[in-house]
Amino acid sequence: MKAENNCIVIFGASGDLTHRKLIPALYNLYKIGRLTENFSVLGVARSELNDETFREKMRNALIEHEKANGAMLDKFCSHLYYQAVNTSDARDYGKLVPRIDELHDKYQTCGNTLYYMSTPPSLYGVIPECLAAHGLNTEEYGWKRIIVEKPFGYDLKTAHALDIQIHRFFEEHQIYRIDHYLGKETVQNLLVLRFSNGLFEPLWNRNYIEYVEITGAESIGVEDRGGYYDGSGAMRDMFQNHLLQVLAMVAMEPPAIINANSMRDEVAKVLHCLHPLTQEDLKNNLVLAQYVKAEINGKTVAGYLQEKGVPEDSNTETYMALRCEIDNWRWAGVPFYVRTGKRLPVRVTEVVIHFKTTPHPVFSKSAPENKLIIRIQPDEGISMRFGLKKPGAGFESKEVSMDFRYADLASPSLLTAYERLLLDAMKGDATLFARTDAVHACWKFVQPILDYKAERGRVYEYEAGTWGPTEADKLIAKAGRVWRKPSGAMKKKV
Ligand code: BG6
């Protein structure tokens, strides 16, 4: 289905996200025919650009990131416009009114407007108020939707305050809180795997599942984002949003149908069931750490404290591992081990469902564990691991696997996360956007961790290029378990 005709207004148009992700996503949607000719993009920022210079910048970005060229690139760029605005001054937003009107007239977009806040978070409360001061939020003529980038707040209190601020000018149905993990094809596939296969449904609970592992590993460091990252850390940057959303997809109850409300009701419900962590729980179930200088493949890699923009005494965690539980009938007593970190050996996001073993060992040697590995990225796929007889005498078993890889599908041209989510927002489908109650539940769960961190001393250290500190191994070893050490690619052949 195509997007509805609309004018997309991007605040923060001179920023990194706009030229690295948003414009390329819109270009690709246009290229594959998911945008009609009736759309326009109005870039807004403080920089004194004009339509021509903005087009030139975006054109260069598309050539660099998308290898775009030819008539398609020219046609797409002709839909781009720019308006310089002092985004923290309500009076200056007056300049937007005639520009947006003119674009609606020119492209017959019936007043439909999608605002995208790709700005520093300090403007997330300001922009809606300034838009409202000029009536740019009302839905009398066409719909008005506003996309909010993460982070939605800095902690429970500020997230709540931000919600109140935005809700003063936009109703919940107009607000699209983007979490790009929900736009990933394999995260959505988790829902299809779970809810369209009778095979898994009876097994997906505490009776058959021993524990669940969720890993969000990155091999890169903080690169040139040290300034931002230091105020955020792994907990706010990856865990509070992306990984808790993945956890919700794994653990939620089946919605009666897939639409924005029923789906988001279930997500919020399960997040509200996360077992609240006390300071005592955290002593035993949480590990925070920071990477230090090391040699990787013969090259010296800087430690976190040597990264640009990071204060030399920073205590920000670049790694976290947590054992948590969900207090409901389906999951009571099943541990969820979640870890994420920068400068780990490989970039991989995956969920591993560890099934219980047989009730009684029939063969002398213990059989391999049954596992379902859901690889979110890279090399997206699903792998079922189980034991079969080793050829030859006796009854020894060995682990074999049944693998599905997305790359093997006939048409692997998947939409990227931003393409999918921008398209959904333009169609008015909020299913894959975070609703206020879910965001609130995530912060409520994370707040004790933030408090705990503020109270304790230095975080642990781990060498860049390793799987984190030994304390994380000890955390999972308490139950006689070990973290899976995934490689960059899924196993190809048994
Ligand atoms: C972003 C974080 O939200 O997600 C980054 O701010 C992180 O620090 C990125 O690198 C990871 O996204 P992906 O899609 O590369 O896994």
Side-chain angles (χ1 to χ4, degrees), residues 150 180-181 184 218 225 228 237 242 342 347 377:
K150 69 157 237 222
H180 78 280
Y181 266 55
K184 288 184 191 279
E218 294 186 271
R225 298 164 73 226
Y228 147 77
D237 187 54
H242 305 326
K342 299 249 183 228
R347 172 177 183 250
Q377 63 184 16

Side-chain angles (χ1 to χ4, degrees), residues 268-280:
K269 230 156 78 186
V270 74
L271 290 170
H272 277 298
C273 293
L274 280 164
H275 181 76
L277 297 161
T278 63
Q279 298 298 298
E280 205 46 42

Side-chain angles (χ1 to χ4, degrees), residues 160-171:
H160 194 58
L162 177 63
D163 241 12
I164 293 176
Q165 263 177 310
I166 301 182
H167 277 140
R168 279 173 57 210
F169 308 105
F170 284 83
E171 290 179 32

Side-chain angles (χ1 to χ4, degrees), residues 19-181:
H19 72 79
R20 256 187 338 107
K21 299 281 184 193
L22 305 182
I23 294 291
L26 290 168
Y27 171 74
N28 286 327
L29 289 174
Y30 183 63
K31 204 168 77 175
I32 58 172
R34 294 299 192 97
L35 296 185
T36 65
E37 287 299 329
N38 299 67
F39 84 96
S40 59
V41 177
L42 179 63
V44 177
R46 284 168 201 248
S47 323
E48 287 298 333
L49 302 176
N50 57 34
D51 293 349
E52 277 319 307
T53 45
F54 180 62
R55 279 180 195 161
E56 200 48 37
K57 272 179 84 150
M58 296 305 119
R59 164 188 287 276
N60 292 340
L62 288 169
I63 294 171
E64 184 190 334
H65 300 302
E66 302 299 317
K67 313 263 170 295
N69 58 33
M72 183 60 77
L73 177 61
D74 293 341
K75 256 170 75 182
F76 175 79
C77 287
S78 71
H79 289 258
L80 306 182
Y81 299 84
Y82 185 84
Q83 178 63 53
V85 169
N86 175 355
T87 33
S88 43
D89 178 359
R91 281 168 306 178
D92 222 28
Y93 282 62
K95 292 178 188 156
L96 288 179
V97 179
R99 270 332 293 273
I100 295 178
D101 281 351
E102 173 196 313
L103 292 174
H104 283 317
D105 280 352
K106 178 161 182 186
Y107 291 95
Q108 291 163 19
T109 32
C110 313
N112 294 338
T113 316
L114 179 65
Y115 301 110
Y116 199 118
M117 293 199 283
S118 167
T119 60
S122 54
L123 287 172
Y124 292 174
V126 178
I127 292 171
E129 181 165 5
C130 296
L131 288 172
H134 296 274
L136 291 168
N137 58 336
T138 62
E139 296 197 296
E140 279 152 26
Y141 172 55
W143 50 255
K144 306 290 177 301
R145 299 178 188 140
I146 189 157
I147 300 187
V148 193
E149 258 297 333
K150 69 157 237 222
F152 321 120
Y154 192 68
D155 54 17
L156 183 58
K157 209 167 124 206
T158 50
H160 194 58
L162 177 63
D163 241 12
I164 293 176
Q165 263 177 310
I166 301 182
H167 277 140
R168 279 173 57 210
F169 308 105
F170 284 83
E171 290 179 32
E172 183 60 25
H173 77 269
Q174 297 176 280
I175 305 171
Y176 287 66
R177 297 174 194 80
I178 201 165
D179 183 315
H180 78 280
Y181 266 55

Side-chain angles (χ1 to χ4, degrees), residues 470-491:
T470 50
E471 285 75 13
D473 296 331
K474 290 185 197 149
L475 166 78
I476 197 167
K478 285 181 198 156
R481 298 169 182 144
V482 286
W483 294 103
R484 200 176 108 78
K485 294 201 164 53
S487 65
M490 289 275 273
K491 200 166 160 182

